[in-house]
Amino acid sequence: MSCARRSTRRRPAGEPLDLSPELYRQLTVWADAAAIELGVPRVSLADAVRAMIRVTADHPDQVLDRLRQDRDNK
């Protein structure tokens, strides 16, 4: 009897983003500028958002301050 391990493929968790046209434009402009800065042809929006999430995890207070500010301006 073979003891072959079954390969488990993980499906990425995801939730669609609901961005306003202005926020989407800001994100795409940022990603284009990042590609130029990094010297690569393109930075995907998914890669940009993943990097932003990692920075957010490292500096949560700055993000919480921005969330408070955004909520106060509604």
Side-chain angles (χ1 to χ4, degrees), residues 25-40:
R25 186 192 67 74
Q26 289 176 4
L27 180 59
T28 57
V29 166
W30 185 92
D32 290 343
I36 292 167
E37 180 72 24
L38 295 171
V40 296

Side-chain angles (χ1 to χ4, degrees), residues 44-68:
S44 74
L45 298 184
D47 286 343
V49 171
R50 280 191 283 271
M52 291 174 189
I53 290 168
R54 289 182 185 108
V55 170
T56 298
D58 291 342
H59 305 284
D61 292 341
Q62 293 175 18
V63 178
L64 290 171
D65 289 344
R66 183 56 193 243
L67 285 170
R68 284 185 192 99

Side-chain angles (χ1 to χ4, degrees), residues 2-44:
S2 170
C3 292
R5 274 183 87 170
R6 198 193 294 165
S7 149
T8 305
R9 182 173 176 206
R10 288 184 155 183
R11 221 181 105 193
E15 184 171 322
L17 289 176
D18 184 16
L19 299 176
S20 69
E22 177 60 19
L23 280 177
Y24 181 79
R25 186 192 67 74
Q26 289 176 4
L27 180 59
T28 57
V29 166
W30 185 92
D32 290 343
I36 292 167
E37 180 72 24
L38 295 171
V40 296
R42 182 174 177 270
V43 170
S44 74

